[in-house]
Amino acid sequence: MVFPLLDRDSELVALQRAADRAAAGQGGVVVVAGGPGAGKSRLLDEARALSHRAGLQVLSARGVELEHEHPYGIVRQLFEAALLGPEQAPWLVGPAAAASTVFTPETEQEAAPFATLGGLRWLTANAAAEGPLALLVDDLHWADPPSLHFLHYLVRRLDGLAVLLVLGGRPGAADELGEAATSILRPAPLGPDAVVQLTRELLETRPSERFAASCRRATGGNPLLLVELLRALRAEGVVPDDAHVDVIDHIGPSAVARIVLVRLRHLPGDALPVAHAIAVLGTGVVTSLVAELAELEEAAVVEAVASLVEADVIDARPPLGFVHPIVRDAVYREVAPDGRDRSHARAAELLRARAAAPDQVGAHLLLAAPRGLRWAVDTLRAAADDAARRGAVETAVTFLRRALAERPTDADVELLLRVGLTEAAVDPGAAVAHLDAARRAARDPGSRARVGELVARLLVFTDPPAAIAAARQARAELPAGGSPASLLALERYAGRFSGIAAAPDPAPEPGSAGGRTLMAVQAWDRALNGGSAEECVALAAGALRLDEPAATQEVVDRTPLLTAMIASTVLLFADDPRAQGFWDAWHAEAVRAGRAQAIIAGHVWQGWTQLRLGRLADAEASLRAALEGPRAWGPGTKSPPAHALSLLAEVLLHRGDLPGARTALDRIPKEVSPDTEGVLLCRCAELRLRTTEGRYAEALGIVDVTGARLRTVVNPAWARWRSVHAEALAQLGREEEAIAAASEELELARRWGTPGPVGRALSLLGVLEDRLDLLEEAVETTRDPFARLEHAGALLALGGAVRRRRRPSAARAILRDAHDLAVACGADVVARTARDELAAAGGRPRPVAGLGAPSLTPSERRVAELAASGRGNQDIARQLHVSPKTVEVHLTTSYRKLGIRTRRELASALGEPVASEG
Ligand SMILES: Nc1ncnc2c1ncn2[C@@H]1O[C@H](COP(=O)(O)OP(=O)(O)OP(=O)(O)O)[C@@H](O)[C@H]1O
Ligand SMILES: [Mg+2]
């Protein structure tokens, strides 16, 4: 029975507006959030109808409690009919092909989860390219986790797609998605008039005022409770007048469960057991299955179902199911837990006998206690395999853990390994525990060593001491002739990373992959320990084999994340221009293979490069993208990496955003060991923040507390703190100590040898000692693309010193350069100080040219740069995870800002900021 929609005027307006916008090509997200029975599904029904009327093609899906582990269940509900039906919609072409495994997991391989997400977005884009699209998903709180990840991914990347997403669910799940929504609708309780109207509909008599008010009080205006209450009253034949108000009060403000159960108990004989069986089976219910589970004749089941339909408990329309999920829930919970356990175990058996899909059988096994059954282990593993081949890692993990529980005493090495390796992507902590159990259970030392190395790799960043222990043990078990290089590399890296005494330092071993990891670690080790940029670059380039002709692609394919990250980081802070080329190729490969962790590392790396090149707006965008977290990047990306947070804080300090820097530093996860390199970088950023805020004494306090560990940081290109410390000391009048600290940094910077840090230390020392020669040297030293920020700072310092020597016209020229460069970099703090200095010198900044490369937004610049490198629009769209239309828009705007007409002019237009007039 459908009742007229009551009290939802504003919601309908919002939905209509969103549908019209989508029909006009502009997508949006509407989230409908509310508690049980608040009227969410009803609003989604309305959304469906008005989307149809607005000319959208509508695809819909809903979460079902028992299908929580159906891999990509929601996504398949949305698209499967169109893709695999008779029409075979051609939506899996181009980059969308990466998602085909979701629908047909035919390969033997596991799908890469992040590539799958990207592919699914393209599938959505392809579908919307045929005409504006509405995707409706209800009951998000039961959606399977991989599909939920896709929705989170999609709502952040709807830009340029004619797709309306309407998502309904209970507050927790819905609100999380609501963060990125265009609007959130929260259906309110029904008002007095609506209650009167609904009562009249259901009881076919106009209720008395008191009767209606009493109904409203008993249900709080919750539509579902009202409907159920009225159904119960109708079943009892109650007349809605003042004389019968006490009947409602007698039922009281009870929940649906009680009302439904009261109704159920009035039904004849087999209705109750049949309702129970249907509730346990949940989905895909057929009469014969219900009969077997309830141990009844089929004829009896048919009869019972008829009475349940009559009583508005079971839906009249097939397939067999309840009128409302809450009614199912009430019936389900009425069975005692051990009864439910037995029923699910039996349901699993029955479904298996009928050759049902492994995940369908598995769904029931998940709800039943382990019984030590071989077939159950096999079924759960089959369900996990299927999930993994569809790219649904979290689902695979759930099934595998349950498989493990089925045989708790049997140390099955192979199963433990499988669980651990699958978990590595989503729950590294649990992965380590399972892999370690597998290692202990393994018989031959060779396997133990191999698994030990996996454990060490997983622990390198999160628990360096444990990583060292694991690597040492694996080294001890290494069979004769096996190379210890990669284990030694892990040991040394973890040691250096956490400030623990490192492993022996063997000779470089360029041949093997392990040997190359070792070279990368040695490069890093030297770089942080007082080596020169030159010698470290040689080692890092060897690790990446950059000198071998035309080997890039092969190197990229075969360089593990750790080696690539370490070696290219060294190249980066040694200002080696080859770093960019290597990283671009490596990043493209990571995108192709869909390795989220690697893509995130790429963003961090990119952000750092941009910071060093003095492109602060771009740097901020890259780092924020990296830090967006698991909702944007999929499972397994948990706490934000500390070094990325410190870089972001650094960028924001340059930009004058102190509160932003504070927020970034406050996000450092508490569980990370305070001695790790990443946290140490954050301490340096903290020191800088306090100094910038003028809290000098507190800044010195940080050095006092962390001093010993800070003093081990000797490379100012990696992390500078001595000069900041010097600034704070100077502000507190401790000039001599300040000069000593700045001089020490200068010496260390010279030892490393790149221009930026040398120039920065020179500037500071020049200011502290008020020496023009040092300031001039700083300006000369920093004429380098990797030292633009330092150059702006040096010009500012020099200009100020010249002004104070009463040479205002010379000072003005220098300060204008400082100002323009700072503006081009987006370094607002230097720009502002330069303006003040200029004013003091009796001048004004040159009018800033509004256009030119610096005026591009970060996204425009990224698109323009890719176009300049010869990429096509489709290709760019794929790499940046945006639509081709977005790419076009960005390019058009960029051409206009750059004052060019063709793609060929892009490269030179992007090269340098357009000169402003003097
Ligand atoms: N505004 C309304 N006017 C009239 N009837 C309504 C209204 N909203 C909901 N109903 C009716 O109330 C009942 C419960 O509503 P609905 O199923 O939409 O709730 P829900 O929020 O989706 O519940 P759940 O949390 O269980 O998914 C349905 O029978 C529905 O038709
Ligand atoms: Mg609902």
Side-chain angles (χ1 to χ4, degrees), residues 791-793 795-796 812-836 838 844-848 916:
H791 192 54
L795 285 168
L796 174 63
R812 284 199 295 271
I814 300 169
L815 290 167
R816 283 203 183 101
D817 284 346
H819 176 261
D820 290 356
L821 183 56
V823 169
C825 291
D828 294 353
V829 177
V830 173
R832 211 179 311 131
T833 320
R835 266 197 301 277
D836 295 346
L838 258 176
R844 272 178 298 137
R846 277 180 279 247
V848 178
S916 47

Side-chain angles (χ1 to χ4, degrees), residues 480-658:
S483 161
S486 59
L487 288 166
L488 282 170
L490 281 167
E491 248 177 276
R492 276 191 81 77
Y493 188 65
R496 197 56 175 90
F497 190 80
S498 56
I500 298 173
D505 189 5
E509 202 184 296
S512 67
R516 293 201 286 123
T517 310
L518 189 55
M519 282 174 76
V521 172
Q522 284 167 331
W524 198 69
D525 212 14
R526 290 295 299 144
L528 263 58
N529 253 334
S532 71
E534 205 181 336
E535 67 176 293
C536 295
V537 161
L539 277 166
L544 297 178
R545 302 207 307 206
L546 287 184
D547 299 326
E548 295 175 29
T552 313
Q553 190 54 47
E554 195 217 350
V555 172
V556 163
D557 291 346
R558 294 227 240 110
T559 306
L561 178 60
L562 195 64
T563 314
M565 251 169 57
I566 303 170
S568 61
T569 299
V570 172
L571 291 180
L572 172 72
F573 68 86
D575 296 350
D576 189 295
R578 288 171 300 177
Q580 187 69 50
F582 170 80
W583 198 272
D584 279 349
W586 200 80
H587 183 236
E589 169 62 19
V591 169
R592 197 196 57 71
R595 290 181 297 177
Q597 210 58 51
I599 298 173
I600 293 173
H603 278 290
V604 176
W605 197 90
Q606 204 68 38
W608 197 9
T609 310
Q610 287 155 339
L611 167 62
R612 302 179 69 78
L613 288 168
R615 282 165 30 198
L616 293 170
D618 295 346
E620 184 180 339
S622 299
L623 292 166
R624 287 204 190 280
L627 290 166
E628 244 191 292
R631 277 310 179 202
W633 289 107
T637 47
K638 291 213 177 60
S639 42
H643 68 290
L645 290 168
S646 80
L647 286 171
L648 179 62
E650 174 92 16
V651 170
L652 295 175
L653 281 172
H654 280 297
R655 292 175 74 67
D657 179 358
L658 271 54

Side-chain angles (χ1 to χ4, degrees), residues 3 6 8 36-40 42 187-190 198 202 219-230:
F3 327 105
L6 305 165
R8 295 289 183 257
K40 303 178 293 295
R42 186 59 200 268
L190 297 181
L198 200 60
L202 264 141
T219 59
N222 178 294
L224 179 76
L225 287 176
L226 254 170
V227 168
E228 289 302 325
L229 172 65
L230 294 170

Side-chain angles (χ1 to χ4, degrees), residues 43-112:
L43 274 178
L44 261 80
D45 288 343
E46 299 296 328
R48 177 174 303 110
L50 55 86
S51 296
H52 271 301
R53 283 199 298 277
L56 309 179
Q57 47 168 332
V58 179
L59 302 176
S60 49
R62 68 182 309 175
V64 178
E65 209 172 351
L66 259 148
E67 291 182 0
H68 189 258
E69 307 309 333
H70 191 43
Y72 274 119
I74 293 287
V75 168
R76 284 155 73 189
Q77 278 185 54
L78 286 174
F79 295 106
E80 217 156 47
L83 290 175
L84 308 180
E87 300 271 302
Q88 302 242 334
W91 297 341
L92 283 170
V93 296
S100 56
T101 47
V102 169
F103 307 97
T104 42
E106 51 197 349
T107 52
E108 283 303 301
Q109 267 187 3
E110 296 186 5

Side-chain angles (χ1 to χ4, degrees), residues 40-41 62 138-139 324-325:
K40 303 178 293 295
S41 300
R62 68 182 309 175
D138 196 4
D139 291 335
H324 198 279

